[in-house]
Amino acid sequence: MLRAYQCTQYIFAHKFESLKKFFPIFDWLPNYRKSYLAGDISAGITVGIMLIPQGMAYAMIAGLPPVFGLYAALLPQVIYAIMGTSRQLAIGPVAMDSLIIASGLGALSLSGINEYISMAIFLALFVGIIQVLMGFLKMGFLVNFLSKPVISGFTSAAALIIGITQLKHLLGITVSSNKTLPIIKQTLAQLDQINPVAVAVGLAGIGIMLLIKRISSQIPAAIVVVIFGISLAYFTPLTNYGLILVGKIPDGLPSFGVPSVPWEDLGQLFTLALAMSLIAFMEVVSIGKALEEKVKSNTINPNQELIALGTGNIVGSFFQCYPTTAGFSRTAVNFQAGAKTGVAAFISASLVALTLLFLTPVFYYLPNAILASIIMLAITSLIDLNYPKELYKNQKDEFLLLIATFLITLFVGIQEGIILGVLFSLLLMVYRTSKPHMAVLGQIKGTTYFKNINRFATDIIDRKDILVVRFDAQLFFGNKDYFYKELKKHIKAKGPELKTIIINAEAINYVDSSAIYILKYLILELRQKEITLMIAAATGPTRDILFKTGVTELLGAENLFVRVVEAVEFIDGVHPRTEIEDRVSRQKF
């Protein structure tokens, strides 16, 4: 009986641990402290207040009615609080994803606003399914292919595009395009039709927010400006002078519905959904990692983040949500306001729900110019000028990668910018690995160290009979010819006195079949010239490859050494091989 009870306890504990893996709320909620509550309430209310105007503004960027921004601020952040591995991330609609939706769906031939809304909601389902699948297949590593120059160039360009798309609301004009150049052309063509009232209201909104931020960052500047804009439109006759308002917003919580689109449109949405899945995941991980440094913890699990984010998008899509992810500014506010757990997200969602139930009639009088001013100020934090300056000074090739991504995103398209940016970064990586650093080493006088002769020219013993080289990369089909040509160049420079070549293989972590062929060819070629090839400092995995492929047999196990100095001393007869050294060189380790 006791044994059965113990077995039951073990099974329950094991199942509970598995449950905590997919639902981290069961990890932190049982350990919730009373001291966390004040911070969670403060952060939840602050972010909730911030979400209301931001959500409406970002829905406007996406080309959706403002209420869909409030819908997107509900369930996804609740699901993330239950399943996410970060306790401070603020999930909801964001400017960049909204812009990608507008750009991607704007390129499709849609019949009207209802079809557009259906597509945006189905896109949340599609994105969520891709993210969940990637999470279960443990594909979180894919975010590593989004290099910092690509992210920086893409983000800065996206921020500018967002600003450009909001010019029509700030200037009170009508622009039909979502592309950068056509927007600029149409705006310039309508300069004589600018509504001074809209401009004045928008600039006043920006001015008020800047003033509030200077006074105190704790004051919710966006909600103050929203109250200012609503009061202005309600109590003054400005609407008579062409000031455009948000208008009627449906009240009540979003209704349940199964997202659907025609099968023939799935192909068109796939590229957009895949790009959004990766970008949203990149935002979550990058913000989460930045938070980890501040809270001195290591809780982010990339694969679980994909599952949490994807589940939020899937569930949200059944309640009229468009794709969501973590917001930079809201997460920063959430953290600064004292959020300790996901309870803050529950409070934020509750505040948005109360707004939908009781306060939507108030937002009828909210001017579009005010929402545009909120967006304009928000995007300034996305543009980073310092990082490109650093790259220009120190790494010109990565600077060019950043600029290329920036220009393609700005003038060609959002999806093209991120896809081509990743492609260019991979090509840059391939180019670098195809021509890695190869150093000629010499022994530093009075030591057993062998260093680059170009860095330690005055203290190096440079012998004519021995050539020591270090190849600083894996040896594979992409750089085997470069390795061979560089080695031949150094052999020629040494002259006829050269008798031995030692390859310091400490940096070679892999050798593929094409490189094995070159090594074998090199051994035979050097043997005809009566030059001995030795390999020193090879790691265990590299030695395994050399043994399995027959390179060691052709080279001779006696020409494998643990250190370069041992090879040189063996050549000079100063340090004959001991039994242990000989055994080590002949065995795989």
Side-chain angles (χ1 to χ4, degrees), residues 263-276:
W263 281 99
E264 57 269 21
D265 292 333
L266 287 180
Q268 293 177 300
L269 284 179
F270 177 73
T271 307
L272 178 61
L274 183 60
M276 287 198 67

Side-chain angles (χ1 to χ4, degrees), residues 79-94:
I79 299 296
Y80 182 84
I82 295 170
M83 301 183 68
T85 54
S86 172
R87 298 178 191 179
Q88 286 89 20
L89 276 185
I91 302 296
V94 296

Side-chain angles (χ1 to χ4, degrees), residues 1-59:
M1 190 74 176
L2 179 62
R3 184 161 185 162
Y5 175 72
Q6 288 174 334
C7 287
T8 304
Q9 272 195 321
Y10 173 78
I11 292 169
F12 179 78
H14 181 71
K15 292 290 184 183
F16 191 65
E17 285 300 318
S18 300
L19 196 64
K20 287 197 292 186
K21 180 182 175 183
F22 290 105
F23 300 95
I25 190 172
F26 292 114
D27 185 29
W28 58 262
L29 192 58
N31 302 311
Y32 193 84
R33 299 177 185 175
K34 192 183 290 185
S35 59
Y36 293 166
L37 192 57
D40 282 341
I41 292 174
S42 172
I45 292 172
T46 305
V47 172
I49 290 171
M50 190 178 180
L51 252 174
I52 295 163
Q54 270 196 356
M56 296 171 70
Y58 295 158

Side-chain angles (χ1 to χ4, degrees), residues 2 23 65 79 81 219 248 392 506:
L2 179 62
F23 300 95
I79 299 296
I219 302 172
K248 182 175 174 56
Y392 182 76
E506 62 183 334

